[in-house]
Each structure stands twice: as C-alpha cells, then as structure tokens.
Amino acid sequence: MRHQRNTPGYFQALGDDKLSRALSLIHQEPSKAWRVESLGRAVSMSRTSFANRFQSIVGMTPLAYLSQWRMHIAYELLVEGELSMLGIAEQVGYKSEASFGKAFKKIVGISPGKVAKGET
C-alpha cells in the first residue's frame, strides 16, 4: 500500500490552511464518521468547494484519503498484534469485522488476517 504522506499532493495540501486543518482532523480522529460535508464545515468551506479543492490538490477524494489513512493505521495495528480484529476495526471507524475486512482487502490488497499472521 502506498503511503499517501509521500505524495506531492499531500505536501502541497499541508501548505493550504484549510486542507491542512482537514488532514489534521482526519489524522487525529480517524474513527470519526467523517463526511465531506462535515469536513468542509469544520474548515469553513462548502461541501462542493472543499471536495473540489481536496481532489485537485491531494489527488484523491477526501473519503478515499480517509479510507487509506484508516487502513494505514489498521495495518500497523495488525502488525503489532496487540488488539483483536474487532478492536482494530472499531479503532479505525468500522462497526464490524466483516465491513472492516472487506474495506481492508479492497484498499490494501490482502486480508487483514494475513497481515496479522505475518503473511505479507
């Protein structure tokens, strides 16, 4: 999984006051049920303006970024092996292991179980 913090768009977004604040919110509260509207409102932008600016600068939608960030955290937690699968799912904003597992496999390309077992 490519880490989004290494993309030029991420660094460019850090130089944008509103996008930088949105990224901070996502990073500080990845389990929160963020929506484009709530992120836009949190940085004093309309949903559409925020979504367009984020996509233009970061190179992906805000919710795609959120999903990738969540899976990055989940991957690290799986490798550490200290939490249950449900505990990890909840920590990154999922209410069930099934929904977490499906999202993880879609984004990372392998199941969370394989990561937990060191089969990466």
Side-chain angles (χ1 to χ4, degrees):
M1 178 171 73
R2 186 180 75 163
H3 193 293
Q4 65 279 359
R5 283 185 161 183
N6 293 329
T7 63
Y10 175 83
F11 291 114
Q12 192 175 3
L14 290 177
D16 180 292
D17 182 53
K18 292 181 186 252
L19 295 185
S20 180
R21 283 190 290 148
L23 290 169
S24 288
L25 291 169
I26 288 169
H27 288 209
Q28 291 168 9
E29 297 183 79
S31 65
K32 187 170 179 170
W34 290 113
R35 298 288 173 245
V36 176
E37 182 178 11
S38 63
L39 282 165
R41 190 172 41 248
V43 298
S44 303
M45 293 180 75
S46 73
R47 178 192 188 285
T48 302
S49 294
F50 173 70
N52 290 341
R53 189 168 176 173
F54 196 100
Q55 172 77 44
S56 172
I57 293 175
V58 178
M60 67 181 73
T61 68
L63 296 183
Y65 182 89
L66 172 63
S67 294
Q68 284 194 11
W69 180 243
R70 286 175 168 174
M71 295 310 132
H72 172 76
I73 293 168
Y75 191 99
E76 295 298 319
L77 293 171
L78 287 162
V79 169
E80 288 173 11
E82 295 177 13
L83 294 174
S84 69
M85 195 70 67
L86 181 58
I88 292 170
E90 290 173 343
Q91 191 159 337
V92 295
Y94 291 86
K95 295 185 189 308
S96 74
E97 286 183 54
S99 62
F100 164 68
K102 184 176 178 180
F104 188 92
K105 186 165 185 174
K106 180 180 178 183
I107 292 169
V108 179
I110 58 174
S111 73
K114 286 189 176 190
V115 174
K117 293 176 187 172
E119 299 175 13
T120 57

